Amino acid sequence: MLRYAWIIAFIPALSFFLILFFGKRMPKGGSEIGIAALGASFVLSVVAAVQWIDKVESTEGGEGGHALGALGQAFHVAGEAGHTVVEPVLASVSWFTLGGVDIRAGTMIDGLSVMMLFVVSLVSLLVHIYSTSYMEGDRRYTYFFAALSLFSASMLTLVIAGSTLLLLVGWELVGLCSFMLIGHWWEEGANSDAALKAFFTTRTGDIGLIIGIVILFFGAGGTFDIPTINEMAVNGEMSQTVLTTASVALLIGIIGKSGQFPLHTWLPDAMAGPTPVSALIHAATMVVAGVFLGARLYPVFFEGFHIADGGLNAMAVIGGITVIIGAALAFVQNDIKKVLAYSTISQIGYMVMALGVGAWLAAVFHLFTHAFFKADLFLGSGSVSHAVHTFDMRKMGGLRKVMPHTFWTFIISSLALAGFFPLAGFWSKDEIINTAGKADYDFFLVVGLVGAFMTAAYMTRCVWLTFFGEYRGAEHPHESPKAILVPLWILAIGAVFAGFLNATAFDIHKFTEWVEPTSAFPEVIVPEFSVPLAVFSFMVAAAGVAVAGAYYVYGMGPRGLTERNASARAGYTFLENKYYLDHLYTDLVVGSIKGPIARGTYWFNQNVIDGVVNAAGTGTRRVGRFTYDVIDQKIVDGSVNEIAAATDETGGLLRYLQSGRVQRYALILFASVGVLSLALVFAN
């Protein structure tokens, strides 16, 4: 299966076309095709994972790769502990030839891609099942499932890509599908605006990605092959200028796609799409694509940003800033999905920061665990809205009594997100903080701890407003159907147990063993588990819950504080306006140029496009007149008329000869015989 992993992406791609052409004729509107396709992809992903694990565990004497110098001294090196390093399984075919260069398309299957195949196919399958109930009766039900299948296929293509060019294809298809699904209910202007905002903002980052790919192509001697690029970066076969420039350009791509500061503004607005789409975007596809890019081309970033040297670098700084600003904005949201959206921004910031401080494995592990509890939280918010017909937490409250399944799955995933022992988020987040502390990145250790406190606090606020107190809505809430609850419980189980794959406190390193990258890579390192730091991190999260809980239990809402304190009021207003970045982008940047652009576009339309169309019309009219006057009337009709006139004259002669008079016929006969006789006489 490892050499034929392209089938995993091909099946949902085929499903997209089948649903479009035959979905409306199917009993379930095409949803059964999508579920069957993602079910097949999930089974094949599990098969691929089993084969990869078997390959890893059957390999003996795996060795690590490039040393990390001073950074490695602070770590327990995975390879030295007996962990196996296995080369990826590569398969490729010639795609096309450009300038004498053979451009190949193929797959690269290693621990990272196998892990991503499992996560993407599982979450996508559960989202498909969930959507059968959530989207029931939707006016574009069939279209929704077609787009959902294409979304899944695009992300699966991205994670198995063996070349930066094929990765770019998957990357752009993911962006296209997000535009289609965010604007699913395009009749409402806000939804269309959100889809356009997501599309154009992420395109801004994509410019950086394309530039980075081009730089690496020439820097690597004319190849898009990812293993070759990584190997050349590790072995010092590319110049420092190329690596640093490419790293900056690629980081811009990550910032755009993964909603990092300052291009994070599109992500909360993307909540305009259906909730299942939000879960898929935030847990398994769109925003994690940037983190995957950073992990896949990590040798480039490692060498380009001198990650082993400690201190500050662009990747760590961007991630650290995003951790804090995303968490801060989550406190002032009344829409439950926007709380979770800003939470995703913050958590993706953790992953980017982890890559920037040398915690490659911790970043990938947090991506893995985050998929379970964040998908569960988004689908849980959809379950709540399904019952109360709103996402406004001010119209919720007390729902734990009538929605016990939704409540408990939401609680489990919230605690996992906050980093409570022994849930999944505790193990992955602790590994990020631990790595930062032992790799001469003390500043980012503090950022991680502050982020953990803020995460626990804003999720406590979210849970309190949604499930505790008195019900404040006008609807009659009820528990959701099984099609919604079953995915919630499956994801909640993942939020509980997924972290134990790398529970280093219990000497469990399975995730490290299975996902550890190839030797053409900076050596993967795992910090020794620190009991004091883990206890302190847990206490920080517990303090966040306690402070926020006390704040709301005793009726001290943020409005009360802002009414009493001018500084708090100014800070709250600053957060409510999202740091005024939307005003900067929409009103100043876009607003200052959209008028001239609109006028220029209108002039181009009137004078160029319409001019071409009008000229074509005028030319066509003249050609038609010439054809009618000259070719048709004078040549065609003239010829026909001349033939008719000649025929008429010939007909007149025949009428004279064939008059019906026998005497005339006899006269002509004797005259003819006479002429013939004379001709014969003179001929002799």
Side-chain angles (χ1 to χ4, degrees), residues 58-92:
S58 64
T59 301
E60 297 180 358
E63 296 181 357
H66 185 64
L68 287 177
L71 184 62
Q73 297 176 4
F75 291 89
H76 172 70
V77 180
E80 294 177 357
H83 296 276
T84 308
V85 177
V86 184
E87 294 296 331
V89 177
L90 304 175
S92 66

Side-chain angles (χ1 to χ4, degrees), residues 602-619:
Y602 180 76
W603 179 91
F604 184 80
N605 177 62
Q606 294 293 308
N607 294 277
V608 179
I609 298 178
D610 284 359
V612 171
V613 173
N614 293 338
T618 301

Side-chain angles (χ1 to χ4, degrees), residues 304-658:
F305 289 143
H306 300 288
I307 288 175
D309 296 341
L312 300 177
N313 62 69
M315 179 171 271
V317 169
I318 290 295
I321 292 173
T322 308
V323 168
I324 302 302
I325 67 157
L329 289 172
F331 281 102
V332 298
Q333 305 303 313
N334 294 314
D335 185 313
I336 187 173
K337 282 175 65 176
K338 289 193 174 182
V339 172
L340 299 177
Y342 282 113
S343 171
T344 299
I345 291 172
S346 180
Q347 295 304 306
I348 297 295
Y350 264 106
M351 300 173 203
V352 174
M353 183 181 75
L355 291 173
V357 300
W360 183 91
L361 189 69
V364 172
F365 188 39
H366 195 52
L367 187 158
F368 175 72
T369 61
H370 178 264
F372 291 100
F373 50 75
K374 186 52 62 71
D376 198 37
L377 289 170
F378 268 107
L379 296 184
S381 71
S383 177
V384 170
S385 73
H386 187 267
V388 300
H389 304 292
T390 182
F391 290 103
D392 192 339
M393 294 184 295
R394 294 170 297 186
K395 298 178 182 179
M396 299 179 187
L399 296 180
R400 72 186 189 281
K401 301 174 184 177
V402 293
M403 303 183 72
H405 291 282
T406 301
F407 168 69
W408 282 112
T409 55
F410 203 92
I411 284 291
I412 290 170
S413 293
S414 295
L415 292 174
L417 173 62
F420 270 67
F421 178 85
L423 304 180
F426 167 81
W427 301 105
S428 56
K429 193 175 293 185
D430 177 75
E431 198 163 306
I432 295 173
I433 295 171
N434 195 5
T435 303
K438 292 184 177 179
D440 198 21
Y441 286 102
D442 294 338
F443 173 77
F444 295 103
L445 180 148
V446 175
V447 169
L449 291 172
V450 171
F453 176 87
M454 297 173 75
T455 301
Y458 68 66
M459 285 309 300
T460 300
R461 170 183 178 265
C462 178
V463 169
W464 177 265
L465 293 176
T466 304
F467 294 102
F468 289 89
E470 297 298 324
Y471 179 61
R472 301 177 293 276
E475 303 290 337
H476 298 285
H478 54 82
E479 187 58 279
S480 297
K482 289 184 179 179
I484 289 178
L485 295 180
V486 170
L488 290 183
W489 275 111
I490 292 174
L491 291 167
I493 292 171
V496 173
F497 294 107
F500 284 101
L501 286 176
N502 222 48
T504 53
F506 305 127
D507 200 28
I508 300 174
H509 305 274
K510 289 299 181 183
F511 190 86
T512 300
E513 295 174 10
W514 298 340
V515 181
E516 185 178 12
T518 69
S519 57
F521 212 85
E523 189 171 15
V524 173
I525 47 180
V526 181
E528 294 283 2
F529 184 80
S530 171
V531 175
L533 183 60
V535 171
F536 184 71
S537 175
F538 175 79
M539 291 176 61
V540 167
V545 172
V547 171
Y551 198 68
Y552 283 93
V553 167
Y554 293 102
M556 297 174 61
R559 283 296 181 188
L561 177 62
T562 56
E563 289 171 1
R564 296 190 300 271
N565 187 290
S567 297
R569 183 164 58 251
Y572 192 87
T573 302
F574 185 60
L575 291 177
E576 271 193 319
N577 285 279
K578 297 173 285 189
Y579 311 117
Y580 294 96
L581 287 175
D582 276 336
H583 294 287
L584 172 64
Y585 298 153
T586 304
D587 298 337
L588 295 180
V589 177
V590 177
S592 63
I593 62 175
K594 69 179 181 181
I597 290 176
R599 288 190 293 272
T601 303
Y602 180 76
W603 179 91
F604 184 80
N605 177 62
Q606 294 293 308
N607 294 277
V608 179
I609 298 178
D610 284 359
V612 171
V613 173
N614 293 338
T618 301
T620 303
R621 187 174 65 248
R622 290 176 178 173
V623 170
R625 174 59 61 185
F626 175 80
T627 302
Y628 177 77
D629 291 341
V630 178
I631 297 177
D632 181 61
Q633 294 293 306
K634 294 182 179 180
I635 298 176
V636 178
D637 286 0
S639 301
V640 172
N641 292 338
E642 289 296 330
I643 294 171
T647 304
D648 182 63
E649 292 176 1
T650 304
L653 177 61
L654 292 175
R655 283 198 305 272
Y656 175 77
L657 294 175
Q658 298 178 357

Side-chain angles (χ1 to χ4, degrees), residues 203-213 246 248-253:
R203 292 293 78 70
T204 302
D206 291 356
I207 294 172
L209 174 64
I210 294 171
I211 293 173
I213 289 174
V248 171
L250 294 171
L251 180 59
I252 294 172

